[in-house]
Amino acid sequence: MTTDTLQSAERASPFQHLSGVRKAKNYLASVLVTCSFLIALIPLGWLLVTVVTKGYRALVSERWFTHSLSGVMPEQFAGGIYHALYGSIAQGVMCAIIAIPLGVFTGIYLAEYGRGWLARSVTFMVDILSGVPSIVAALFIFALWISVFGFPKSAFAVSLALVLLMLPIVIRSTEEMLRLVPDQLREASYALGVPQWKTIVKVVLPTAYSGMVTGMMLAMARVLGETAPVLVLVGYSRSINYNVFDGNMASLPLTIMNELLNPEPAGVARMWGAALTLILLVMIFNLMAAVLSRFSAVKSS
Amino acid sequence: MTDENEVMTNTSADSRKGQGGDPGAEPPASSWLGQGEAAKHRRADALFRWLATGSGIAVVSAVSLIGVFLLVQAWPSLQANNANFLFSSEFDTRDAENLRFGIRDLLVVTVMSSAFALVIAMPLALGIALFLTQYAPPAVRRPFGYIIDTLAAVPSIVYGLWGIFVLGPFLVPVALWMNRNLGWIPIFATGNVSIKGGGTIFTAGIVLAVMILPIITSVTREVFRQTPVKHIEGALALGATRWEMIRTTVLPFGRSGYIAGSMLGLGRALGETVAVLVVLRIASSPATFSIFDGGYTFASLIASAAHEFVHPLPTGAYIAAGLVLFILTFVVNAIARTIANGKMQRL
């Protein structure tokens, strides 16, 4: 009798038998889920292949990285994007000079000092800032810097708008990294009589350093690709302008927008060339971020 | 391993809060230092604290100023507007004496393209997040995740070029087929621009969907990864198939995060400027609620007119449009944060 019931129980065990419907559903789900990942790869691959095949011709010309488009006719296959590359990097660096100290200090405030309503409102405002569209940031700087203060359109105004877009990324990564630093390190430092500011500067920041730099690189990659602020806040120039505070200045996105209006084959080639250059520039920063995060002292998620 | 670290830091942060403050609140009493030395440290401490707090205040005031400034700059133009701001399809600012601008078409095109993008991106992002957390072999999850994140690294103007020159022409036969066979449904009806040109909401929506895929995926992936292992193992021990396990544990646990991520993606799509500007064709007649419409979104209209920002009154009209966009994205993002609250501290 006992063996009989055991055997029938075994036969009815859920581990032994799966109904066809359940099996089919499970299989279908696996296929759909895998497919959705593969579908996402299509636009990425397609886009990269397009930009590389259409843009590499411009890039391999020997003057591409060393000359501007000054004096180049629309239909001429000549010149390069040195002016735009300089403009993009100059605007990005100006932006970083303002945004990184401000962002790091705000991050320190949130992680080390912040309590109560002020900390809550800073967190809330950073959340809001990270959702502000770049065109709205550009309009705000236009309203403040150009309409109210009366300054001319300039690359510096672009940098100010980029600051608004860079800040939330820098603040978040700083705050997150500082929170990952074990409290034992802080306590050990206090126990040795080190004041709080020195503990933060000499113990906490060095521990979180590489993670923070990763965040900054990602932020830089994001702002370099922004087009809306340059459209609103600075004019385009086909020649080199080293002055960030005055005059028109090209940047890679602005060059693309201008060559978009040029129907000549040379313009099309320059447009895709500038697009490829922009992607390469952004990828370099992303790659640096990825490499740096490997060396992070405190492990992030 | 990483999970363990997370738990450790979380608990330590909690215990800190439990004691009523961070350890920094009680800086060491450096009584054994010399008097001068201690005073110097106190001053330095105060200065550093002031710098950090000041930065925080600067950020708060900058963000609050955005709304205020846009409103102040837009107000005179709104007063001078001769058309209904909410319901007019006109946007004519050529004559500063006779401003006629309304946001009806902008709102229709913006919402249609973003909603279409969301319809495509949401199921895909769910599938990708499940694949990256539950299906892919653990060794390749990280690199595969990087690949999806790379989508976010591509500048939006490059998406625009790809959309209008490569994807648009490719989609024309599909669009024509949909229009021919499903044209009796209003949203697939012939719109106010040529379908053959490719510059329709249909193309723009697909480009936007690709662009918001990474953000929805990364938020969703993050919550799915936090599903308690005990729940998963419990479901499997009861004999659930992998799909049944996901349906009963991962999906209910991650639902709010998934919705929040989608809302964040929607916020991105609403505010996306250049990709839409490059893709969408200009329409000469009002929007017809079809996905084969063209026209401008809030963001692309402002960007297209940027070089005309000379006289205050016409400029104010565009700033008014920017203000509406700011409010729209603010609301969408605030909803996302509220939904996500509690489930995860930061997105």
Side-chain angles (χ1 to χ4, degrees):
Chain A
M1 174 209 145
T2 42
T3 46
D4 268 4
T5 38
L6 261 181
Q7 267 166 1
S8 65
E10 208 166 72
R11 238 174 272 125
S13 160
F15 291 94
Q16 304 298 317
H17 180 70
L18 271 179
S19 76
V21 179
R22 290 175 67 202
K23 243 188 229 165
K25 270 188 186 166
N26 188 38
Y27 184 71
L28 182 71
S30 307
V31 171
L32 284 178
V33 161
T34 314
C35 276
S36 61
F37 178 73
L38 296 178
I39 288 173
L41 297 183
I42 294 173
L44 181 65
W46 194 0
L47 186 143
L48 291 179
V49 168
T50 305
V51 176
V52 170
T53 51
K54 296 193 177 198
Y56 85 97
R57 232 181 279 274
L59 239 70
V60 293
S61 97
E62 57 191 72
R63 298 179 140 218
W64 184 252
F65 289 108
T66 55
H67 286 68
S68 75
L69 287 174
S70 172
V72 175
M73 294 286 130
E75 70 280 4
Q76 238 179 325
F77 281 94
I81 42 82
Y82 176 72
H83 61 312
L85 199 59
Y86 170 81
S88 274
I89 291 174
Q91 287 161 13
V93 168
M94 270 313 279
C95 158
I97 288 174
I98 304 170
I100 287 179
L102 192 59
V104 168
F105 269 113
T106 310
I108 290 175
Y109 169 75
L110 286 174
E112 304 286 328
Y113 296 100
R115 275 200 304 277
W117 67 270
L118 183 60
R120 272 200 304 278
S121 43
V122 172
T123 307
F124 176 73
M125 287 302 185
V126 172
D127 283 348
I128 293 303
L129 197 56
S130 70
V132 167
S134 53
I135 190 84
V136 172
L139 268 186
F140 167 61
I141 295 298
F142 185 88
L144 179 75
W145 190 252
I146 294 169
S147 291
V148 175
F149 290 168
F151 290 102
K153 286 186 173 187
S154 69
F156 185 68
V158 174
S159 301
L160 286 179
L162 295 182
V163 165
L164 291 175
L165 304 171
M166 194 186 226
L167 264 180
I169 311 177
V170 174
I171 295 174
R172 285 231 182 114
S173 68
T174 305
E175 188 196 351
E176 229 160 73
M177 286 301 136
L178 293 187
R179 285 198 194 281
L180 288 179
V181 174
D183 273 347
Q184 287 92 320
L185 285 182
R186 293 187 183 87
E187 283 154 11
S189 173
Y190 296 147
L192 292 171
V194 180
Q196 188 180 12
W197 74 274
K198 223 170 197 172
T199 304
I200 294 173
V201 174
K202 298 261 172 166
V203 177
V204 180
L205 285 182
T207 317
Y209 176 72
S210 59
M212 285 162 58
V213 176
T214 303
M216 292 169 197
M217 293 292 163
L218 289 176
M220 194 71 177
R222 176 175 173 201
V223 300
L224 284 175
E226 284 295 345
T227 315
V230 289
L231 277 177
V232 177
L233 293 168
V234 73
Y236 178 64
S237 156
R238 292 174 74 83
S239 50
I240 302 163
N241 170 18
Y242 288 112
N243 189 351
V244 184
F245 294 97
D246 195 31
N248 294 339
M249 188 188 275
S251 54
L252 288 170
L254 206 50
T255 308
I256 299 174
M257 284 308 279
N258 268 274
E259 297 297 343
L260 189 59
L261 304 173
N262 178 358
E264 301 286 341
V268 175
R270 277 200 285 274
M271 180 183 79
W272 289 107
L276 179 57
T277 315
L278 183 58
I279 286 193
L280 287 177
L281 189 65
V282 168
M283 289 296 168
I284 286 173
F285 278 97
N286 271 300
L287 212 65
M288 285 203 289
V291 170
L292 273 169
S293 72
R294 297 239 148 187
F295 297 110
S296 182
V298 280
K299 290 279 172 259
S300 68
S301 48
Chain B
M1 190 60 208
T2 44
D3 285 359
E4 219 169 83
N5 277 344
E6 245 167 54
V7 171
M8 269 173 59
T9 47
N10 278 344
T11 45
S12 69
D14 286 346
S15 65
R16 249 204 280 170
K17 272 179 196 137
Q19 285 156 16
D22 53 33
E26 283 84 42
S30 30
S31 54
W32 46 271
L33 287 172
Q35 277 299 320
E37 189 107 347
K40 206 174 80 191
H41 279 317
R42 264 201 303 281
R43 270 201 306 280
D45 244 354
L47 179 72
F48 198 79
R49 171 186 287 267
W50 184 87
L51 265 176
T53 315
S55 303
I57 293 172
V59 171
V60 172
S61 39
V63 182
S64 339
L65 279 179
I66 293 180
V68 174
F69 257 89
L70 294 182
L71 185 61
V72 167
Q73 295 276 312
W75 194 251
S77 309
L78 286 171
Q79 294 281 303
N81 189 6
N82 288 328
N84 188 315
F85 181 60
L86 291 180
F87 299 110
S88 168
S89 312
E90 288 177 272
F91 213 104
D92 186 358
T93 58
R94 279 165 298 184
D95 183 4
E97 298 299 312
N98 182 21
L99 287 181
R100 301 188 64 81
F101 60 95
I103 56 168
R104 174 191 173 267
D105 270 21
L106 303 180
L107 194 64
V108 171
V109 176
T110 307
V111 171
M112 290 271 298
S113 55
S114 304
F116 184 54
L118 209 56
V119 166
I120 299 172
M122 272 181 82
L124 268 183
L126 182 66
I128 296 167
L130 283 178
F131 179 78
L132 290 176
T133 55
Q134 311 295 333
Y135 283 86
V140 298
R141 280 175 195 178
R142 222 181 147 87
F144 280 11
Y146 273 131
I147 296 177
I148 296 297
D149 289 341
T150 309
L151 276 175
V154 177
S156 59
I157 186 161
V158 180
Y159 274 116
L161 296 183
W162 174 71
I164 192 64
F165 291 117
V166 182
L167 183 69
F170 176 82
L171 285 176
V172 164
V174 183
L176 284 173
W177 182 87
M178 283 169 77
N179 180 242
R180 211 172 31 246
N181 294 293
L182 300 166
W184 48 275
I185 307 171
I187 63 163
F188 296 117
T190 308
N192 56 13
V193 292
S194 149
I195 297 178
K196 287 204 176 80
T200 57
I201 294 177
F202 181 63
T203 311
I206 292 176
V207 173
L208 284 176
V210 177
M211 295 178 74
I212 64 176
L213 205 54
I215 177 140
I216 307 181
T217 308
S218 76
V219 174
T220 312
R221 202 169 67 186
E222 203 57 30
V223 272
F224 282 178
R225 226 166 42 86
Q226 290 169 10
T227 313
V229 179
K230 281 178 186 164
H231 292 193
I232 295 177
E233 284 172 353
L236 292 176
L238 288 171
T241 61
R242 175 142 46 173
W243 168 242
E244 284 161 346
M245 176 275 285
I246 288 169
R247 224 187 50 212
T248 51
T249 62
V250 178
L251 290 185
F253 183 84
R255 186 180 295 129
S256 63
Y258 172 53
I259 294 171
S262 305
M263 295 296 278
L264 285 183
L266 178 63
R268 284 281 163 85
L270 290 171
E272 177 47 48
T273 312
V274 186
V276 180
L277 173 68
V278 173
V279 169
L280 276 189
R281 286 284 162 265
I282 301 167
S284 51
S285 56
T288 61
F289 293 93
S290 155
I291 59 167
F292 300 121
D293 273 346
Y296 285 115
T297 64
F298 286 106
S300 72
L301 176 81
I302 298 165
S304 74
H307 55 92
E308 300 164 11
F309 289 180
V310 184
H311 301 294
L313 274 181
T315 306
Y318 293 100
I319 293 181
L323 180 66
V324 176
L325 176 63
F326 177 61
I327 295 169
L328 209 61
T329 49
F330 187 104
V331 169
V332 168
N333 280 302
I335 294 173
R337 304 284 164 188
T338 317
I339 295 172
N341 233 353
K343 185 66 73 173
M344 48 198 309
Q345 289 169 322
R346 322 240 54 194
L347 295 176

